[in-house]
Amino acid sequence: MSQPIGQPAYVLHSRAYRESSALVDFLTPQGRLRAVLRSARGKAGTLARPFVPLEVEFRGRGELKNVGRMESAGVSTWLNGEALFSGLYLNELLIRLLPAEDPHPAVFDHYAATLLALAEGRPLEPLLRSFEWRLLDDLGYGFSLITDIHDAPIAPDGLYRLQVDAGLERVYLLQPGLFNGTELLAMADADWSAPGALSAAKRLMRQALAVHLGGRPLVSRELFRKP
């Protein structure tokens, strides 16, 4: 079945293709789509950049489509500094994790909202952790932060490790990479003022994402490393 005409989209990544075209990865409510943009050096090429809300008509029934029409659909989101690095991180995460042509309209909406929040200068870490968590959950990889793998409530004084394919397991001996119950319950409530909650959430999301990234590091993470 043909893709809907004139659907909203964002460019995740673009690279040169043949003489004057570009191969573009788009995020749409219908999922991640890859398409060839002809005459990429013209007006359309100036739109084929990240963080610009677009309306795009895709043509073709195969996995590699063609861009039939592409127009601006709103005000571009201007990101600078670490907010820009964060946006690039979101894009790489979507390219790596989102299956091609698998509709996830909630992911699209949350992505658009996160870009606006980044542009407004809101604190980065809560935005990134929220996006990672919602992406995992929407893809079916989520797990409970209030109960463990045995459906017992998370105990504030408990220690837990993540079993990626199952959830949180309570342990009674100290070992690397554990999470305490207070941190987990703060994450569940998105209470980022709780001591240690944000740093624990970053560790938890890295553990949860690692298996789905196939062991290959994210290039955009290097942008956050201080010289």
Side-chain angles (χ1 to χ4, degrees), residues 17-127:
Y17 181 69
R18 295 181 177 170
E19 290 188 3
S20 61
S21 300
L23 195 61
V24 186
D25 285 294
F26 291 93
L27 176 66
T28 79
Q30 298 302 311
R32 180 176 58 81
L33 303 180
R34 179 166 291 177
V36 175
L37 175 64
R38 311 290 179 187
S39 302
R41 296 173 185 171
K43 179 182 177 181
T46 64
L47 292 176
R49 52 189 174 86
F51 319 131
V52 178
L54 301 169
E55 182 175 292
V56 184
E57 177 187 339
F58 296 99
R59 297 176 180 171
R61 297 176 180 272
E63 185 174 331
L64 181 60
K65 306 189 183 306
N66 290 293
V67 175
R69 176 177 59 85
M70 185 167 69
E71 300 173 355
S72 174
V75 179
S76 301
T77 304
W78 294 102
L79 303 179
N80 297 290
E82 290 197 339
L84 173 60
F85 299 158
S86 297
L88 295 174
Y89 169 70
L90 300 185
N91 286 5
E92 187 178 8
L93 205 59
L94 289 167
I95 290 172
R96 293 280 295 276
L97 293 186
L98 202 60
E101 301 192 63
D102 187 12
H104 287 282
V107 170
F108 181 88
D109 290 342
H110 192 212
Y111 174 82
T114 302
L115 290 186
L116 289 176
L118 288 171
E120 291 169 358
R122 289 171 52 185
L124 301 179
E125 293 290 333
L127 292 174

Side-chain angles (χ1 to χ4, degrees), residues 128-187:
L128 296 180
R129 301 296 82 81
S130 174
F131 186 86
E132 291 164 341
W133 176 257
R134 292 195 189 187
L135 178 60
L136 285 171
D137 194 51
D138 208 67
L139 293 176
Y141 303 139
F143 49 89
S144 176
L145 292 171
I146 59 173
T147 58
D148 66 16
I149 59 175
H150 303 295
D151 290 328
I154 295 295
D157 59 349
L159 291 174
Y160 296 85
R161 66 183 175 191
L162 177 63
Q163 301 282 10
V164 175
D165 58 347
L168 294 161
E169 178 185 24
R170 187 167 186 177
V171 297
Y172 296 89
L173 294 175
L174 285 176
Q175 53 190 276
L178 296 183
F179 304 90
N180 68 56
T182 301
E183 294 168 343
L184 295 169
L185 293 172
M187 290 181 218

Side-chain angles (χ1 to χ4, degrees), residues 188-201:
D189 291 335
D191 180 10
W192 305 120
S193 64
L198 267 178
S199 60

